[in-house]
Amino acid sequence: MHKYMSLQNELERLIEGDTYRDGDKLPSIRELSRQYQCSMSTIIRTLAELEKRHLVYSVDKSGYYVVKKHHASLSPLSPFTDFATSAPDPDIFPYLDFQHCINKAIEMYKNDLFVYGTAQGLPTLIPVLQKLLANHQVFAQPSHIVVTSGVQQALALLATIPFPNGKTNILIEQPGYHLLIEYLETHKLPVMGIKRTGAGLDLDELEQLFRSESIKFFYTMPRFHSPLGTTYSQQDKKAIVELAKKYDVYIVEDDHLADLEQDSKADPLFSYDRSGHVIYLKSFSKIIFPGLRLGVAVIPGSLKDSFNHFKKLLDIDSSMLSQAALEIYVKSGMFDRHKQKIRTSYDRRARLLTDSLIREQARTDGLFRFPMMKHPGIHTHLVLNEPLSVSRLVPVLKKQFILVESIDRHYLSDFPRENILKLNASTVKEERIEQAVEQLAEVLHKAQR
């Protein structure tokens, strides 16, 4: 990422925080250059970008001054601390940047936007996505990359189309992605579950299912699992890929939070696959905003023609305007800048949440357990001791202005449920996390007594 983009993120953070008041003068260009150890031309470019975003204004022969947002939050002020919502924080949505990209896309692709595109995706976007995927150790040929209307569309297609292995059952982790569960049960598709905990999967059970059942594909979220928040070890990733090859089972890897990864050595399942059994899915909803409705799928050659054919019958193409805007957003470097900003913000919240839970776990004599991770994600889960009941705690916590959610909807209707409370801090402000966790622990303590 360019130096000026990193600096822009830092100055935005200071302006939006408590460092500056409305109308405060920023240090001179020379002082900023010395402070951040970069050239004055880099400072000038950064300030020009901030001026475009109406965060500073310049006064001739005087300098640059701060413009504070008089509505600090783009969302309505609420007394609630919301640990239930899994959407991105609206206050760090890249509204202005993406608005610029949409306008530029209309200008650049005005003729193409009025005709149907291809089922695979906007041809000029595909090589941009190829390079983006390579940053996640997903090396794919352009012909295998398909743009979808969100990951949900890709999952619906994969659940429907026939697979080369001729098998029929879909295996999913339990708990797992609630919308996929709802889709499979609504359409009465053959589906089975396998238990996943904070420690991962029982690989012996996975092998037994692969060997004895007609498993078409196994759907998994190897990192930052929703709703558990956990990540497979490298050893487990390799073992799952080997089992898929051995028993001719496809793996559908949903890497929806890949952009939030802090561990440079954490690779996806796809990077270990040498037999063409891993289908890689990536979403842009959690890193940019849900309304974009764009995802990307890397489809093996054995499934490529069938997948594209079914997709064309379903919607002809994904939104051409969104694809064109995404192409400009990524190529301009705006995506990298935003990714660093949201990753840094979420990492601070994740560590605050983890540290607060560690303190309260010790203070409450182990009323709950939660997974300890070297690189914690923005969401996690609490396994509550009996006789604490999640369903009874939810309304009690709501009276304390804390919104939480059980994970019941993340289970197949006939799969045994665990006594688990999920916590997501993506929309919770940093200053609220510690106090909210203290309140949560106090409610658990009282409930047990």
Side-chain angles (χ1 to χ4, degrees):
M1 185 169 66
H2 296 297
K3 174 68 175 178
Y4 85 90
M5 290 184 172
S6 177
L7 180 56
Q8 186 180 337
N9 279 350
E10 174 62 16
L11 289 177
E12 274 187 25
R13 185 181 68 80
L14 294 175
I15 290 168
E16 292 168 357
D18 298 326
T19 304
Y20 294 106
R21 292 178 297 179
D22 195 23
D24 280 356
K25 184 180 178 181
L26 288 175
S28 69
I29 291 172
R30 189 178 299 278
E31 287 175 40
L32 288 171
S33 173
R34 186 166 53 250
Q35 181 181 344
Y36 290 102
Q37 298 182 332
C38 60
S39 68
M40 287 195 286
S41 62
T42 297
I43 298 297
I44 291 168
R45 184 173 183 183
T46 301
L47 292 171
E49 290 294 329
L50 293 175
E51 194 167 16
K52 284 181 190 176
R53 299 172 64 81
H54 310 293
L55 293 173
V56 301
Y57 65 93
S58 60
V59 177
D60 193 31
K61 298 181 180 179
S62 178
Y64 287 85
Y65 295 81
V66 170
V67 180
K68 295 287 280 187
K69 293 178 183 177
H70 293 293
H71 301 287
S73 175
L74 294 171
S75 54
L77 198 61
S78 170
F80 286 95
T81 300
D82 187 356
F83 285 124
T85 299
S86 60
D89 184 353
D91 286 353
I92 49 179
F93 277 7
Y95 291 102
L96 294 175
D97 283 353
F98 212 79
Q99 183 182 40
H100 165 79
C101 293
I102 289 174
N103 292 337
K104 192 72 175 174
I106 293 172
E107 179 185 323
M108 287 178 60
Y109 292 97
K110 54 189 172 186
N111 295 325
D112 298 322
L113 298 178
F114 294 98
V115 296
Y116 290 120
T118 67
Q120 184 184 359
L122 182 67
T124 52
L125 175 61
I126 299 298
V128 174
L129 293 176
Q130 181 188 27
K131 186 177 179 181
L132 194 68
L133 290 168
N135 293 333
H136 297 294
Q137 299 301 305
V138 176
F139 299 100
Q141 293 300 314
S143 60
H144 292 256
I145 298 171
V146 182
V147 180
T148 60
S149 301
V151 163
Q152 282 175 252
Q153 184 190 48
L155 291 172
L157 287 167
L158 291 168
T160 305
I161 65 176
F163 271 49
N165 59 16
K167 300 179 182 181
T168 55
N169 285 323
I170 296 167
L171 180 65
I172 61 176
E173 299 163 322
Q174 292 291 274
Y177 182 30
H178 64 97
L179 288 177
L180 175 59
I181 290 171
E182 190 174 340
Y183 180 87
L184 295 173
E185 293 194 326
T186 299
H187 290 272
K188 296 181 169 53
L189 295 171
V191 57
M192 307 172 64
I194 180 172
K195 183 177 179 179
R196 180 167 174 176
T197 68
L201 291 174
D202 182 333
L203 293 176
D204 290 336
E205 181 185 1
L206 185 68
E207 181 170 15
Q208 190 272 327
L209 288 170
F210 279 9
R211 182 176 60 246
S212 62
E213 302 289 344
S214 176
I215 306 295
K216 173 181 173 179
F217 69 76
F218 170 45
Y219 169 77
T220 177
M221 292 186 190
R223 62 175 143 201
F224 304 131
H225 177 274
S226 179
L228 299 179
T230 55
T231 296
Y232 288 144
S233 67
Q234 183 187 61
Q235 183 179 351
D236 283 355
K237 290 176 186 177
K238 290 179 178 179
I240 291 168
V241 171
E242 283 302 312
L243 289 174
K245 176 184 176 182
K246 182 177 180 179
Y247 294 102
D248 193 17
V249 173
Y250 284 82
I251 304 292
V252 176
E253 178 178 19
D254 187 344
D255 207 9
H256 70 304
L257 292 180
D259 294 302
L260 301 183
E261 181 62 75
Q262 295 282 351
D263 183 0
S264 60
K265 296 180 180 179
D267 294 332
L269 294 178
F270 187 91
S271 67
Y272 303 112
D273 179 34
R274 300 292 179 269
S275 63
H277 279 85
V278 177
I279 300 161
Y280 182 84
L281 306 181
K282 173 178 166 50
S283 170
F284 292 97
S285 295
K286 301 298 184 186
I287 189 71
I288 305 179
F289 42 79
L292 183 62
R293 302 311 305 142
L294 286 182
V296 58
V298 180
I299 306 297
S302 56
L303 278 166
K304 186 177 60 172
D305 291 342
S306 178
F307 187 89
N308 282 331
H309 177 66
F310 274 72
K311 183 180 185 300
K312 183 178 180 181
L313 294 176
L314 189 64
D315 70 351
I316 303 179
D317 60 38
S318 300
S319 167
M320 292 290 286
L321 178 57
S322 292
Q323 291 187 70
L326 180 63
E327 178 192 342
I328 294 167
Y329 189 61
V330 174
K331 288 172 71 174
S332 68
M334 291 181 186
F335 178 73
D336 277 343
R337 188 182 84 84
H338 172 68
K339 184 167 70 173
Q340 185 194 56
K341 182 177 181 179
I342 197 170
R343 182 191 286 168
T344 301
S345 174
Y346 280 8
D347 184 56
R348 287 198 301 267
R349 298 182 207 195
R351 293 189 182 281
L352 277 170
L353 179 61
T354 299
D355 291 345
S356 299
L357 288 171
I358 290 171
R359 283 195 299 272
E360 296 306 318
Q361 185 183 43
R363 192 175 69 85
T364 56
D365 298 323
L367 286 178
F368 59 85
R369 306 187 310 280
F370 74 101
M372 298 294 294
M373 297 173 60
K374 183 178 179 182
H375 299 281
I378 195 62
H379 63 281
T380 188
H381 71 282
L382 308 184
V383 181
L384 303 184
N385 291 346
E386 299 295 345
L388 296 174
S389 165
V390 171
S391 60
R392 292 181 181 179
L393 287 170
V394 170
V396 175
L397 286 164
K398 189 173 182 180
K399 290 179 181 178
Q400 301 280 335
F401 297 102
I402 298 174
L403 300 180
V404 294
E405 192 175 73
S406 76
I407 63 168
D408 283 358
R409 64 178 179 151
H410 293 270
Y411 284 101
L412 292 164
S413 55
D414 60 352
F415 203 92
R417 287 158 171 70
E418 298 287 312
N419 193 30
I420 291 176
L421 186 70
K422 67 176 187 175
L423 297 177
N424 194 308
S426 61
T427 62
V428 182
K429 300 307 175 192
E430 291 178 33
E431 60 271 15
R432 286 191 175 188
I433 291 175
E434 186 174 359
Q435 182 181 0
V437 172
E438 288 177 4
Q439 289 177 267
L440 169 60
E442 187 61 32
V443 169
L444 293 178
H445 198 59
K446 287 180 179 178
Q448 191 197 42
R449 291 204 306 266

